[in-house]
Amino acid sequence: MQKYMRWSGLLVVLMLVLAACSADSGGSSEPSAEGSTPASSGAGGTADCDADEFGCVEIAEGDPITIGTELVITGANESLGLDSQYGAEVARTMRPEIAGHEVEFNHQDDGCSAEGGIAAARALVSEENIAAVIGTSCSSAGIPSAEILSAEGVMLVSPSNTAPSLTSPETHQPFYARTAHNDSIQGLAMATFVCEVLGLTTAATIDDGSPYADQLAAVFAESFPSECDGTITAEEAITVGDTDFSGVLGNIAADSPEFLYFPIFVAEGALITQQARETAGLEDTILAGADGILTPDWLSAAGDAALGAVLSGPDLAFSGDFYADEFLPAYTEVSGEDAPISVFHAHAFDAYNMLADAIEAVAFEDGGTTYIPRTALKDAFFATSGYEGVTGTLTCDENGDCADAKISVSEVQEVDGEIAFVRIWPEE
């Protein structure tokens, strides 16, 4: 099968030696879709498992290796999680074996909530030999999940958590990493766009109290005054499940801000969009959201009220031919969708392959059983450097930020009679 990305160049200092590595490390930017190396014979054998605080994943000869996913796959925000799940499944179709074992998924729903994250994480750690987990979709689920999985030594790699607190040195959980951007970057990028491209000087924000919305709105509000001497006229909050936002919008409209940023999710985001269009004092205000509503589901729910809105999110203008020529057709085959339904599918694809590389760097065989030391796996993943993925060149820092973070802004326009997202910044 054709090579689809460059080996990550894992710089791992481990107790294990002679871990099998690909002979074409640092070579083609399209690495093999199949696992390149079977598990090698570890010099330390099962003693390495005894020495690891969390022991080893043990996979009998002929058994599959299990990777969990913890994503929002039902409800109003399901497009966010299903999109990532499809990205991981595309990666499995192209690389169906890791360390000589077929891969199977254990899919759990994070519910885009703290409660959902707790339930999903507990379900996954109850499976003794879960190798690693791709998730969560939402930062609200990611915070408790990272704590639960880290306590059990299970690696959690998120394709779409963006709350800064998840990788802050003070609050980072040791087995947590992400291939998604950090919202300290997204919030600043949106402030730069509003100042430099739109030339506006007044703005307001709305968040829904979730870690994602609260922290992203806060970064924007902190960045906007310094980027262009702008003024934040209001910082309002809503509650998930609310449907009447007339009070909040009325408070904001009193100062008629030029820009209103509400980085929240689909249900509330659609209603705010509709109701803001009908609020006196906001007639000329540019409405704006972020990647939580950068989905066709929000377009459908908001309807014509979405026209003219701008949304920040990860830049999907990926370089190279692989994404268009191979990834997207495979995504359609896996999902049945004509096009991606949200924006983190490629981040999930990269997460799967980075985990696969880390597993193969530390796995060893003894008596026909494959062993994966959990702490060594974490160390190998965090040592990822210069990995040529679909989303860019990824290098993990000590707090789990791995993304080659690029933010873009799209505008909702009518294209050939259909309402669609059109990328407008930065210029290609």
Side-chain angles (χ1 to χ4, degrees):
M1 191 173 291
Q2 190 180 26
K3 295 281 177 183
Y4 62 88
M5 79 192 56
R6 200 178 289 131
W7 280 106
S8 60
L10 295 171
L11 305 177
V12 185
V13 180
L14 303 169
M15 294 173 63
L16 301 174
V17 295
L18 300 179
C21 295
S22 171
D24 58 4
S25 177
S28 169
S29 61
E30 299 180 4
S32 172
E34 299 180 4
S36 66
T37 53
S40 63
S41 298
T46 55
D48 290 317
C49 298
D50 297 334
D52 193 303
E53 177 185 359
F54 299 102
C56 285
V57 179
E58 300 181 16
I59 310 166
E61 185 174 5
D63 283 355
I65 185 170
T66 302
I67 293 178
T69 69
E70 193 179 336
L71 305 162
V72 55
I73 52 178
T74 60
N77 300 305
E78 66 182 18
S79 57
L80 176 64
L82 287 172
D83 181 66
S84 293
Q85 183 170 296
Y86 297 148
E89 289 176 347
V90 168
R92 182 177 62 168
T93 64
M94 294 183 176
R95 189 173 185 171
E97 291 188 0
I98 298 175
H101 294 265
E102 291 187 358
V103 178
E104 68 176 21
F105 285 127
N106 180 334
H107 294 309
Q108 297 290 328
D109 192 340
D110 78 12
C112 199
S113 67
E115 296 78 10
I118 291 169
R122 286 177 175 169
L124 290 169
V125 296
S126 70
E127 183 167 337
E128 183 178 2
N129 278 324
I130 198 84
V133 178
I134 296 171
T136 60
S137 292
C138 300
S139 297
S140 53
I143 291 172
S145 294
E147 184 173 355
I148 292 168
L149 293 171
S150 286
E152 300 295 330
V154 179
M155 192 69 209
L156 173 64
V157 183
S158 174
S160 63
N161 289 168
T162 56
S165 63
L166 279 159
T167 54
S168 170
E170 297 79 17
T171 51
H172 173 248
Q173 293 295 322
F175 282 75
Y176 175 87
R178 60 182 167 203
T179 55
H181 59 265
N182 185 319
D183 275 338
S184 62
I185 297 171
Q186 180 172 199
L188 174 59
M190 192 55 145
T192 300
F193 169 78
V194 176
C195 292
E196 296 183 359
V197 179
L198 299 182
L200 307 180
T201 58
T202 59
T205 65
I206 300 173
D207 73 76
D208 64 6
S210 68
Y212 159 72
D214 178 63
Q215 293 176 41
L216 177 50
V219 172
F220 173 81
E222 291 166 4
S223 303
F224 186 59
S226 61
E227 285 299 291
C228 59
D229 198 24
T231 299
I232 296 295
T233 62
E235 295 179 72
E236 295 283 345
I238 62 167
T239 301
V240 173
D242 286 351
T243 58
D244 181 0
F245 303 104
S246 57
V248 167
L249 292 170
N251 291 340
I252 292 170
D255 293 307
S256 297
E258 299 165 294
F259 190 81
L260 174 56
Y261 193 37
F262 45 98
I264 56 178
F265 292 99
V266 170
E268 295 76 22
L271 290 172
I272 285 177
T273 303
Q274 293 170 335
Q275 293 173 30
R277 297 298 190 198
E278 301 168 352
T279 301
L282 297 179
E283 296 92 344
D284 298 322
T285 299
I286 295 175
L287 305 183
D291 33 34
I293 59 174
L294 196 53
T295 166
D297 287 352
W298 173 74
L299 290 179
S300 297
D304 290 344
L307 285 168
V310 295
L311 297 92
S312 60
D315 195 345
L316 303 186
F318 302 127
S319 61
D321 296 330
F322 172 76
Y323 182 71
D325 295 346
E326 297 183 52
F327 181 93
L328 290 179
Y331 183 101
T332 296
E333 181 69 22
V334 164
S335 68
E337 303 285 349
D338 293 334
I341 56 176
S342 192
V343 292
F344 290 107
H345 45 274
H347 300 77
F349 181 91
D350 285 346
Y352 176 98
N353 284 294
M354 290 165 67
L355 279 169
D357 281 2
I359 289 169
E360 291 186 339
V362 303
F364 63 90
E365 291 181 2
D366 192 328
T369 298
T370 298
Y371 296 88
I372 306 168
R374 291 196 178 278
T375 301
L377 173 59
K378 182 259 292 182
D379 292 343
F381 191 93
F382 274 77
T384 300
S385 178
Y387 184 88
E388 294 298 332
V390 176
T391 60
T393 303
L394 294 88
T395 296
C396 299
D397 68 19
E398 62 184 1
N399 297 309
D401 271 322
C402 303
D404 185 357
K406 301 180 181 73
I407 303 299
S408 67
V409 175
S410 298
E411 182 179 30
V412 181
Q413 301 178 5
E414 186 171 333
V415 180
D416 297 327
E418 299 289 336
I419 298 176
F421 298 111
V422 178
R423 181 182 183 273
I424 59 172
W425 182 83
E427 295 181 359
E428 296 188 54

